[in-house]
Each structure stands twice: as C-alpha cells, then as structure tokens.
Amino acid sequence: MSIQPQMPRLWRRETKPHKFCPGCGHPLILKALAEAIDELGIADRTIFGCDIGCSLLSWDFFNLDTVQTHHGRTTPVMVGIKRARPELICIAYMGDGGGYAIGSQHLVNSAVRNENIMAVLANNTVYAMTGGQMAPTTMPDQKTETSPYGRNVKEAGNPTQGPEMVAAIASQDAYVARGTISKLGQLKNFFKKGLKNQMEGKGFSFIEALSACPTNWRTNAEETWNFIEKDMTKYYTVGEIKAPVQDKEG
Amino acid sequence: MEQKPIQGEKKVFMTGNETVAWAALAAKADIMYGYPITPQNEIMHYWTRLAPKHNRKFLQTEDEISAGFTTVGGVLSGKRAFTATSGPGNVLMQDSLSMAEMMRIPIVMVVTQRGGPSTATVIYSQQETTLTCFGGNGEGIRVVYSTASHQELFDYTIKAFNTAWKYRFPTFVLGDGYQSQMREPLKIYDPDEKGIEFVPAVAQLGVEGEAGVDRDPIHLRNTYNMEDELYEVVRGLVDDFKAVAPEIEEYREQDVDDCEILVVAHGIVSRAVEGAVQQLRREGIKAGSFRPITLRPFPEKHLRRNAEKARKMLIVESAEGQLRRLAADAIYGCQTPMEGLFRPGESITVEEVVQAVKGLL
C-alpha cells in the first residue's frame, strides 16, 4: 500500500493530476495557499482569480469559486468583486509578466488605494507559457528566448523588485512579503498573514513567491533548486517586507 | 425603508449625462466603476453625488482597462454594475468586453461617442459604431442601443440593465457628446410605477454553500485547448444570440409605406433625418426614414422590407460608412442603389439631408 501525501482539503481531486509541467513551482505555491485557506476556515467565502500565462492552469485547481481572467487583469477583476461584495475574500493569482509588466498599473494603484484583496505573484524569472521570453524579473545576464545573450541591464533595466516597490507605496496597514517554494511553511504563513489582513479589513496584501520553471530554464532538479535558493535569493530577499505594526508586536 | 431615487414621474430639463446617472439609479444599479474621459465625465459626477444617498457605490479606477475589468468583477459577484466611457477609453475597454462577450457577463456600458480616430475631438461623432458593435477579438455578441434623445437615454439605460441580465450579453447604450452635454426636457420616472419589472442580478461566483462540500465549485474560464472545444462554445454563443435577436431588435420607421427615397440613420443623426423627411413630404417628395435603434442585433428583416420597396437609399451618418456597412450587410442582395452622406465627426443638419435627398431624385 502506498502512502498518499497529505493534501489540503481545497485540493480538487477531480482535476488532478494538475496541468503544470513536472518540476513547476505553481502547484507548490497553490498547495501552500490552499493550506492557508484551510487553516483559516474561509473556503466558504473565498474567490480565486487567475491570470493568463501558466497561472491560468489553476482555473479548476481548487474547490473554490474561480475565474480565469485576461493577461494582467486579475487584480482589477478581484477588486471589482471585493468592492461589490466586501464579505468575500478575494485572491488574485498571477505571474511576473501579469503583475509587473502588462498589469503593473493595477498592482500599483490597488496598493495605493489599499484595496482589501490579496495579490499573489509567482516569480519564475521568465514568461513561461509563451516559451521562455525575458520577464520583468529575469536576472541580470540570464539567458531567455528574447535575451539570448543574457539580460543586459543597460538595455532592459534591472529586474523588478515587486514587493519592495509595493511596500514603498502601500498603506501602513498593507502586508507585503516575499516567500519561496523552497520554504513552503514560511510561504504558507505569509499567505495566512495576508489573508488575515484582508479578513480584518486592513487592506492590500501582496505576496511574491520565488518559483521554478525547469522547462524554460532547461535545468535539472539540482540546477533548478540551486537557481531558486542561491541565484534568485541574491537579488530577491526572502521575508516580510512590510507588516502592519500590530502584527510585528504580536 | 430607503426612499426611491425618483418618486412617481417628474418633468425635468437636464443634460444627457445627468439623465444617465438618474436612469442608472432608477434601474437599481449597485455600483459604477469609471475613469474620467470627456464627454462622459458628468455621468460620474452626478453618480458620485447621488449614489451615497441611495447606498450605491462608486470606484474611480486607474484607467479604462481597470474600469472595464472591475465592472466585470462586480457583475460576476452578482451586482448590477456599470461603467461609461468614450473614444480612446472605449478602445481600452474592449479587452474586458471581449471577456464579457465570451463568458456571458452582463455588463452595462454607456458610450458617449467623441470624434476619432485617435484623441480627436471631445464633441460629437458616430465613429464608435463599429467599435461598440464589434470591438475586441470576438463576434459582436453584444446588444447595442443607439439613442437619439434624452428621453431615450433614460428609457434605454434602464432597459439596458434588464436586457443584459435577461439575456446575459454585454449591453451598451450608444450616445454621443451632443446628447451628453446638451439639455433637453424629458420625463424621469420610478420604473416600478411604470410596471417595469427588473430581472434579478444573479451571482456567477460566490454563491450559496461551500464549494466542494455543499456543491461543486464554479470554475469560469475563457481559455480553451482544442479548436473543437472553442468552436462549440462560440457556436453556442452565436446561436443563442441569433435565437433571441428578434425579441431584442428595435427600430423606428417614418413615412415608409409609399416612400421612394429611404433615408437610414441611427442615433442623434436620425433626428435631422426625421426633420428632413417631414420637410420633403411637405414639398411633395416621397421620402421616408428607417432608424435602427438596436445596432446589434441589427433589425435586418425590417430594413430589407423597406429597402426593397424604395427606389433609392441614402445612408446618413457622422462617420465614414460605419452604419453603411451594417446596412449593406443586412440587406445583401437587395438591388436598391445605396448612397451615402458621410460627415465623420461632424454634425448633420436637416437642410443637408434635404439637399442630399433632392440630389437623388
């Protein structure tokens, strides 16, 4: 008899195996998110929205009411729902292209308005669904399909530090953190804190998760983990970037 | 109990934008999402003043892309949500409108047309006809009411909410800068007292019960993997739209029974056309007019019936043939010659229409 791994209650078995590539970081992020929702007991009022890009493959992932939107537009759809029905818990799930490039105006302005939703962004340093182009988060000198000689920061600028940017403009009650799929317990706790912030009506929460794309990185398991744990963390600091004062004291 | 925004019926003299705000209130709209653009602004100005008094909401977004998608969110959550825009804003909103078209999200949008292409003027035009009817990467599965007066702005804004929620197609009220900005007498009223029944707004997300426990989760998508899978969905949309089109189609005819010259116009231009037909009739010239009130679905059979009887047709519009394309498509095969009086982004007077008709005799 094989031992089945413990899966969150929200994990919808009817739609598994999931649609992500082997080694993808999305299912790990989603698992941590599902555990956070389970532990908070808010599944009955949580709405999940996913973007375009690989994140869209989560459209039937959960036992949650879900809407898959357009590229970059998940944040405004969730804002629209939350404004109309404040009793719901709204989560916008997107990739780095959706959040930092095509939908960056929504991230910035939702943070400024302190919209009471949680945005979750998977940072895997590439546009993965479209075949591995340079993303806002592509590391300096990293090779992608549209930066075949490596990202030249003089031409393409520095990688976007999203949580730091959001923290700089968000209200003092906002919750902002960067987690990683290599520390799932911590990532789950960040999600819980973000969701609690929303439940308490404190406003915007934003959690970036460092994620993996071995398909487009063309890495084996060891190289994949090295890239996430060593290379990415040199540039992307993992931890809470902004937490409401009372949480820090508590 | 909360006081109704409008008690009974009142005669008023107001701008079109103010009219739309009152109509949305009367139509029990819950929330407006919007972004400033002329000549639409005062819809928001009046809404933001009136809404809090009646427990309605407003969100000013960062751009029209966001205004469109927040409206989509509000509607998905089961609220009567609407937005309003114009010109370049209408272009940006097509992103969300194609999602609404694909997923049967009954959003209501008021378009106050301005001149184009590009930024152009903020005054008046009928150059957003094609965009409003067929914008986005889609098939034009939308309902578009083209209004010609303030009374119609009031009536059709109320109607738009019911059409949207009854048939679950994105629904538009297509006005223009003249209608928005000028004042006109009209009657505003409490729709309940007129016997107008409101189609309830139903949530597509966040419904009763816990997903996966009490019921299956609702998973809404607009992405498909296979050609066949997509084809089936789009075929369903198109068939559903065609099936209800005859119920939705509206038009107005004037002196068509014996008319030799049939003048076709929509929206505010039709007022000049109707004035011209009256004058031509006084002069003994057998002119008549046909006005499609719904541009989508287009009242094809009714235009064809009139076009086939006429000797000549004249299409009059403040655009370079956008209505003409709709009309020509609708009556394909009809042998009646079709001429055009096209004034893109410019108003058209009674005298100009009279002269154009006389030129066809």
Side-chain angles (χ1 to χ4, degrees), chain B residues 10-25:
Chain B
K10 270 197 280 193
K11 211 168 176 197
V12 295
F13 182 66
M14 56 173 63
T15 66
N17 283 345
E18 188 177 3
T19 302
V20 169
W22 279 104
L25 269 182

Side-chain angles (χ1 to χ4, degrees), chain A residues 9 66 68 70 80 85 106, chain B residues 33 62 77 95 210 218 222:
Chain A
R9 213 179 47 73
T66 300
Q68 169 255 314
H70 281 191
R85 302 253 316 262
H106 309 311
Chain B
Y33 305 87
E62 57 273 22
S77 80
D95 189 3
E210 187 171 344
I218 298 164
N222 51 60

Side-chain angles (χ1 to χ4, degrees), chain A residues 9-10 12 14-15 19 43-44 47-48 52 56-57 59-71 73 75-86 88 105-107 109-110 113 115, chain B residues 31 33 57-63 65-66 69-74 76-79 95-96 98-99 103 137 203-207 209-213 215-223 225:
Chain A
R9 213 179 47 73
L10 286 190
R12 184 160 177 80
E14 292 85 338
T15 58
K19 303 171 179 76
D44 60 336
I47 307 287
F48 181 74
I52 295 299
L56 80 84
L57 298 174
W59 72 273
D60 63 353
F61 197 92
F62 293 130
N63 278 318
L64 283 180
D65 285 359
T66 300
V67 58
Q68 169 255 314
T69 75
H70 281 191
H71 196 23
R73 313 303 169 214
T75 300
V77 171
M78 290 298 121
V79 166
I81 294 173
K82 186 73 183 186
R83 288 274 180 162
R85 302 253 316 262
L88 298 172
Q105 77 273 40
H106 309 311
L107 181 64
N109 286 284
S110 297
R113 292 196 304 261
E115 295 288 352
Chain B
I31 183 163
Y33 305 87
K57 297 177 185 174
F58 174 76
L59 174 65
Q60 183 167 328
T61 58
E62 57 273 22
D63 57 21
I65 300 173
S66 183
F69 279 100
T70 46
T71 307
V72 161
L76 286 173
S77 80
K79 296 294 177 183
D95 189 3
S96 53
S98 80
M99 177 167 159
M103 300 170 80
N137 53 340
Q204 280 170 273
L205 288 172
V207 304
E210 187 171 344
V213 179
R215 58 173 174 86
D216 280 341
I218 298 164
H219 290 148
L220 305 176
R221 62 167 168 163
N222 51 60
T223 310
N225 295 321

Side-chain angles (χ1 to χ4, degrees), chain B residues 53-305:
Chain B
K53 296 176 187 165
H54 302 280
N55 287 323
R56 320 295 176 86
K57 297 177 185 174
F58 174 76
L59 174 65
Q60 183 167 328
T61 58
E62 57 273 22
D63 57 21
E64 286 93 348
I65 300 173
S66 183
F69 279 100
T70 46
T71 307
V72 161
V75 171
L76 286 173
S77 80
K79 296 294 177 183
R80 300 160 83 82
F82 77 107
T83 186
T85 192
S86 178
N90 193 358
V91 172
L92 292 179
M93 282 199 189
Q94 296 304 321
D95 189 3
S96 53
L97 292 166
S98 80
M99 177 167 159
E101 193 174 315
M102 172 65 115
M103 300 170 80
R104 306 279 300 257
I105 300 168
I107 81 173
V108 170
M109 178 169 153
V110 179
V111 178
T112 63
Q113 294 176 93
R114 53 187 267 171
S118 184
T119 315
T121 60
V122 297
I123 307 166
Y124 158 89
S125 157
Q126 294 188 312
Q127 291 163 288
E128 294 171 54
T129 299
T130 305
L131 178 67
T132 306
C133 290
F134 296 103
N137 53 340
E139 300 291 349
I141 312 295
R142 303 149 171 226
V143 177
V144 180
Y145 293 112
S146 175
T147 58
S149 68
H150 288 33
Q151 189 62 58
E152 287 189 358
L153 273 177
F154 189 79
D155 297 345
Y156 282 99
T157 298
I158 292 171
K159 193 171 209 172
F161 283 95
N162 266 346
T163 301
W165 284 97
K166 181 175 179 187
Y167 300 105
R168 305 190 75 89
F169 297 123
T171 302
F172 299 78
V173 176
L174 184 66
D176 58 71
Y178 277 8
Q179 290 183 68
S180 283
Q181 303 293 334
M182 71 180 176
R183 281 175 197 276
E184 212 169 61
L186 73 149
K187 281 180 183 164
I188 62 173
Y189 48 81
D190 170 15
D192 294 333
E193 287 189 24
K194 290 265 179 189
I196 296 173
E197 283 182 27
F198 282 98
V199 179
V202 179
Q204 280 170 273
L205 288 172
V207 304
E208 269 307 292
E210 187 171 344
V213 179
D214 311 317
R215 58 173 174 86
D216 280 341
I218 298 164
H219 290 148
L220 305 176
R221 62 167 168 163
N222 51 60
T223 310
Y224 295 90
N225 295 321
M226 309 303 291
E227 290 176 5
D228 298 351
E229 208 180 3
L230 170 67
Y231 175 77
E232 207 172 297
V233 172
V234 179
R235 178 52 55 209
L237 290 175
V238 172
D239 288 350
D240 286 357
F241 187 72
K242 281 185 178 167
V244 296
E247 288 174 37
I248 300 174
E249 283 167 14
E250 290 186 42
Y251 60 94
R252 190 168 136 121
E253 295 167 328
Q254 173 198 23
D255 292 331
V256 288
D257 289 341
D258 62 342
C259 90
E260 291 179 1
I261 310 285
L262 180 70
V263 191
V264 181
H266 76 95
I268 199 166
V269 172
S270 66
R271 289 170 71 170
V273 165
E274 290 184 6
V277 167
Q278 280 176 14
Q279 189 176 320
L280 288 160
R281 285 277 164 174
R282 282 197 294 271
E283 295 177 31
I285 295 166
K286 288 186 172 174
S289 77
F290 182 87
R291 172 191 162 208
I293 295 173
T294 50
L295 298 179
R296 291 289 296 160
F298 198 87
E300 295 179 0
K301 280 182 198 158
H302 306 285
L303 178 59
R304 181 184 288 276
R305 171 167 47 78

Side-chain angles (χ1 to χ4, degrees), chain A residues 147-162:
Chain A
S147 60
Y149 305 106
R151 179 181 184 137
N152 177 351
V153 294
K154 282 185 184 162
E155 280 184 7
N158 289 311
T160 302
Q161 301 212 323

Side-chain angles (χ1 to χ4, degrees), chain A residues 173-238:
Chain A
D173 286 335
Y175 179 79
V176 184
R178 181 187 285 114
T180 167
I181 57 166
S182 74
K183 289 182 186 169
L184 280 182
Q186 182 196 50
L187 183 61
K188 181 188 76 181
N189 283 332
F190 291 165
F191 288 147
K192 277 177 80 172
K193 285 191 177 183
L195 288 166
K196 269 190 199 162
N197 230 41
Q198 184 176 165
M199 291 159 71
E200 290 165 11
K202 286 183 186 160
F204 198 60
S205 49
F206 178 62
I207 291 132
E208 181 189 284
L210 301 184
S211 187
C213 183
T215 303
N216 283 297
W217 293 352
R218 297 176 173 83
T219 48
N220 63 24
E222 191 182 355
E223 290 162 347
T224 301
W225 283 108
N226 278 338
F227 192 75
I228 296 169
E229 294 189 320
K230 293 180 183 158
D231 297 344
M232 285 178 79
T233 51
K234 275 182 209 152
Y235 197 85
Y236 298 118
T237 310
V238 171

